[in-house]
Amino acid sequence: MPLNAKAVYSRENADYVPFPSRRSTVHSTKGIVSCSQPLAAAAGHRILSQGGNAADAAVAVAAGLNMTEPCSTGIGGDMFCLFYNANTKKVHALNGSGRYPGEATLEKVRKDLGFAPGAPGEMPMMNALAATTPGAAAGWVDTIEKFGSGKLSLEQILQPAIELGEEGFPVSELSSHGWVEAEKDIRNASPNFREMLKVDASAKDGVRSPLPGEIMKNPTLAKTFRALAAEGKNGFYKGRVAEQIVKVVQDLGGYMTLEDLAYHAEVGTQEVDAISLDFTGQDIVSKATPGTDDGANRGVTIWEHPPNGQGIVALIALGIMEELEKAGKIPKFTEDQHNSAEYLHAVIESLRIAFADAAWWVTDPDVERVPSQGLLAREYLAERAKLFQPDRAADIMDHGSPAHNHCDTVYFAVTDSEGNGISFINSNYAGFGTAIIPAGCGFTLQNRGANFSLQEGHPNALAPRKRPYHTIIPALITNIADGSLHSVYGVMGGFMQPQGHVQVMLNMLAFGYHPQAALDSPRFCLAAPTDESTDRTVWIEEGISDEAVEGLRRLGHKIEVLTGWKRAAFGRGQIIRSYFDDGKLVYGAGSDMRGDGMAYPLL
């Protein structure tokens, strides 16, 4: 126990908020890892130091975060990534999301949950029926095989995380908070709860959630990582780990089978075409970082992962803002208008329109038609922009699906000395996911299936071997002029993610903020962006002016200002900005002050 830790940190002391003061942008010419947990950043840094590239280091970070921040992410969840290849100047996308069990049907699940035919209903978050096939393990392997340097083995890449699990690590502040908050769920979810709690003879059942600075070990997760390292996908999707996943899910009423896991190992991870939007609106400022051209390169391409992810929300919103500017409905906002009521109203309403589309159209493109290009067509964006009213908040638009606004995901960014960049996101969905632990495996299973619609006829309705609307999204920016990498960035946190992408990107490009300042700036969050109810609440982070808050209220927005721990609703982001100065590649990185993490440069 660290000195005086009990006096500072306790389960009852919920008012203690360890958000750090403003940070500075970190620079390097060799590469940077930026993530929400310092030990995980160190794991990625170690791989870069050993000759690995950005993709290799990203998998090391993902595994390290599973150990150190399991309240947000894990190998029992899903992953997506965007990889920028510096040699080809191309952006590649990997979809590592899992599918619903093949033996389940919408009718069966509704019956199991006790819903009458035709009656509304939602999937409960803490239920084995919410578990979808874990996609992260296959995604990690495929990331290394497709984009890795080829210099390091999977065992070498996973070794830092394995050591954290076997030797133990000191728990960071926000991870501890998440553990404490979720302890009851972990205990109730499965008989294997002891595996992911700290041994303490004085505690109930001899285990409890760890406090900040205490040493936590997870040897069973290290054993799972060793199996993956030795056998590749078969070490997770077949054999002992797979058998334990199926056993615990079926024991608790779920439908997952060994065939579901084997199917994902074979076809689960997909390399897909990233979607993009050329953005030149709001008087783009290229000179956000010293050494860049302020005149010749005034436009960027914003890259997002396609559906079943929700990255298209950010692109639709940005496209609508461009159309509003062209139509003269909003001005080119000046520096003194940043986070003003007029500016926030424009972004909020553009996002509401975008979410109204996404709530219907974002689903598994292998099962349903998803018209991504049509949603991003300029004619369509101009038509949707007509819904914007500069003098009031708009009425409810179209129809949506029930939403759960959870902010428990990890996003991280990595660049290397060769100029490659990877935007990577990994999640359990809500906290520890279902909190169900397969025996002897050391991780929890995700509850991503809770994001299916349980209404027949909805494009996102639950179906066998189908992937749900996915909240986790990586983002990346390139320069239109030459296709060079501009930034690798993202903001984690459920339905906050596309909202964060839009706000952080505009902070950098429309207002000229450096990466750390772009993350530090206070944000807003639509509380239930895909909910068709009358609740139009907008959460505003402390730090946005009282004048702006009152201005939004006058426009008809229902405003709630969040402080303290509630600021987790605004997500946690990472940015690595790429540019050239004096003929040399330079990176400038930021890491969100709302997290425990850091930007760790390579020497």
Side-chain angles (χ1 to χ4, degrees):
M1 170 64 68
L3 183 65
N4 292 329
K6 290 279 189 190
V8 179
Y9 305 109
S10 72
R11 295 158 191 263
E12 294 77 27
N13 190 6
D15 291 332
Y16 180 77
V17 183
F19 293 122
S21 60
R22 306 295 189 191
R23 301 172 178 177
S24 300
T25 292
V26 173
H27 296 92
S28 172
T29 59
K30 303 296 185 182
I32 295 181
V33 178
S34 184
C35 77
S36 58
Q37 214 289 332
L39 294 174
H45 187 276
R46 177 166 150 186
I47 297 305
L48 288 178
S49 300
Q50 292 175 349
N53 71 356
D56 298 326
V59 172
V61 174
L65 285 164
N66 190 171
M67 282 291 179
T68 59
E69 199 177 318
C71 50
S72 301
T73 191
I75 199 170
D78 286 343
M79 60 75 63
F80 292 83
C81 74
L82 295 174
F83 180 76
Y84 177 83
N85 185 311
N87 289 327
T88 63
K89 295 187 177 181
K90 289 186 177 180
V91 177
H92 302 266
L94 273 189
N95 182 332
S97 60
R99 294 166 171 81
Y100 206 69
E103 294 185 1
T105 64
L106 178 59
E107 183 181 9
K108 282 183 179 180
V109 171
R110 286 182 58 88
K111 183 178 180 181
D112 289 346
L113 294 172
F115 299 142
E122 295 182 36
M123 178 77 78
M125 302 291 285
M126 309 306 296
N127 192 299
L129 292 171
T132 48
T133 304
W140 296 358
V141 173
D142 289 330
T143 296
I144 293 168
E145 290 182 353
K146 291 177 181 293
F147 311 131
S149 66
K151 298 177 182 178
L152 299 177
S153 68
L154 180 58
E155 181 178 11
Q156 289 174 295
I157 290 168
L158 295 178
Q159 188 60 33
I162 290 170
E163 291 173 7
L164 289 170
E166 292 177 345
E167 299 172 11
F169 60 91
V171 176
S172 58
E173 294 174 17
L174 295 184
S175 291
S176 172
H177 179 72
W179 239 307
V180 171
E181 290 283 296
E183 182 176 329
K184 183 178 178 181
D185 288 337
I186 295 171
R187 288 179 176 277
N188 293 339
S190 71
N192 312 312
F193 62 88
R194 290 175 180 81
E195 290 187 30
M196 294 187 67
L197 294 174
K198 179 178 174 61
V199 175
D200 182 346
S202 65
K204 179 184 177 182
D205 300 319
V207 291
R208 59 170 172 80
S209 51
L211 294 175
E214 292 186 328
I215 298 297
M216 181 70 189
K217 295 182 179 180
N218 192 339
T220 54
L221 180 55
K223 185 178 179 181
T224 297
F225 286 173
R226 287 195 180 279
L228 185 67
E231 304 172 49
K233 295 177 189 177
N234 287 344
F236 186 90
Y237 295 97
K238 296 181 180 179
R240 179 187 67 87
V241 175
E243 290 165 1
Q244 292 303 322
I245 291 173
V246 170
K247 181 180 187 305
V248 73
V249 170
Q250 292 190 358
D251 285 351
L252 295 169
Y255 290 95
M256 199 173 297
T257 65
L258 290 172
E259 288 73 24
D260 291 320
L261 294 169
Y263 178 81
H264 190 87
E266 181 181 353
V267 301
T269 311
Q270 292 182 335
E271 186 167 1
V272 296
D273 293 330
I275 55 176
S276 65
L277 180 82
D278 289 344
F279 187 79
T280 58
Q282 286 304 312
D283 198 19
I284 287 296
V285 178
S286 291
K287 200 177 177 69
T289 309
T292 56
D293 187 350
D294 192 28
N297 182 9
R298 300 186 64 81
V300 295
T301 301
I302 314 297
W303 297 87
E304 293 278 357
H305 209 285
N308 56 315
Q310 64 173 343
I312 197 167
V313 172
L315 299 185
I316 293 172
L318 288 167
I320 287 172
M321 288 195 68
E322 278 198 294
E323 296 303 321
L324 292 175
E325 183 183 328
K326 290 177 185 176
K329 286 192 172 184
I330 62 173
K332 289 187 176 181
F333 293 106
T334 58
E335 185 177 350
D336 61 352
Q337 291 175 301
H338 180 258
N339 276 354
S340 64
E342 184 180 19
Y343 169 74
L344 292 172
H345 175 65
V347 183
I348 287 168
E349 293 297 286
S350 296
L351 281 162
R352 283 211 185 279
I353 297 168
F355 272 116
D357 281 335
W360 184 257
W361 289 113
V362 173
T363 185
D364 188 345
D366 288 350
V367 179
E368 306 282 354
R369 175 177 171 268
V370 182
S372 296
Q373 295 308 312
L375 292 168
L376 296 175
R378 288 293 173 181
E379 297 80 6
Y380 179 78
L381 293 171
E383 190 64 27
R384 295 295 281 169
K386 293 176 182 177
L387 296 172
F388 174 77
Q389 300 295 325
D391 58 348
R392 63 179 176 86
D395 296 330
I396 304 296
M397 301 166 203
D398 301 330
H399 51 73
S401 59
H404 307 275
N405 202 341
H406 294 277
C407 298
D408 306 305
T409 297
V410 291
Y411 169 80
F412 51 94
V414 184
T415 54
D416 59 36
S417 60
E418 298 173 4
N420 303 309
I422 191 165
S423 187
F424 202 108
I425 198 156
N426 210 122
S427 178
N428 295 328
Y429 189 30
F432 283 86
T434 60
I436 294 170
I437 302 169
C441 296
F443 62 85
T444 58
L445 295 169
Q446 65 184 346
N447 50 7
R448 187 60 62 178
N451 224 25
F452 277 118
S453 169
L454 297 185
Q455 304 306 308
E456 187 174 352
H458 195 290
N460 189 43
L462 182 148
R465 294 269 166 88
K466 185 177 180 179
R467 297 171 296 187
Y469 179 124
H470 230 291
T471 57
I472 64 175
I473 50 172
L476 192 147
I477 305 173
T478 56
N479 294 302
I480 289 176
D482 60 2
S484 60
L485 180 64
H486 181 288
S487 295
V488 181
Y489 84 111
V491 177
M492 62 198 82
F495 292 96
M496 175 63 200
Q497 292 180 58
Q499 304 179 59
H501 284 199
V502 170
Q503 292 174 75
V504 168
M505 191 219 78
L506 290 174
N507 287 346
M508 276 199 300
L509 299 181
F511 295 99
Y513 286 20
H514 63 72
Q516 188 60 54
L519 291 168
D520 287 345
S521 179
R523 302 197 274 262
F524 71 80
C525 177
L526 308 183
T530 62
D531 195 334
E532 63 185 356
S533 74
T534 57
D535 183 5
R536 307 290 281 167
T537 300
V538 181
W539 292 328
I540 296 290
E541 188 173 19
E542 61 177 322
I544 290 178
S545 70
D546 293 341
E547 180 183 6
V549 169
E550 291 308 312
L552 288 172
R553 286 177 174 147
R554 286 193 297 270
L555 289 167
H557 297 282
K558 183 180 177 181
I559 302 298
E560 183 179 349
V561 179
L562 302 189
T563 63
W565 287 109
K566 292 181 179 179
R567 291 171 65 191
F570 302 105
R572 297 170 296 159
Q574 320 293 331
I575 301 172
I576 303 178
R577 174 82 162 87
S578 172
Y579 60 98
F580 283 86
D581 186 57
D582 197 23
K584 181 171 286 190
L585 177 65
V586 183
Y587 297 117
S591 181
D592 207 308
M593 64 174 183
R594 301 163 187 83
D596 289 325
M598 61 186 296
Y600 193 170
L602 192 67
L603 291 174

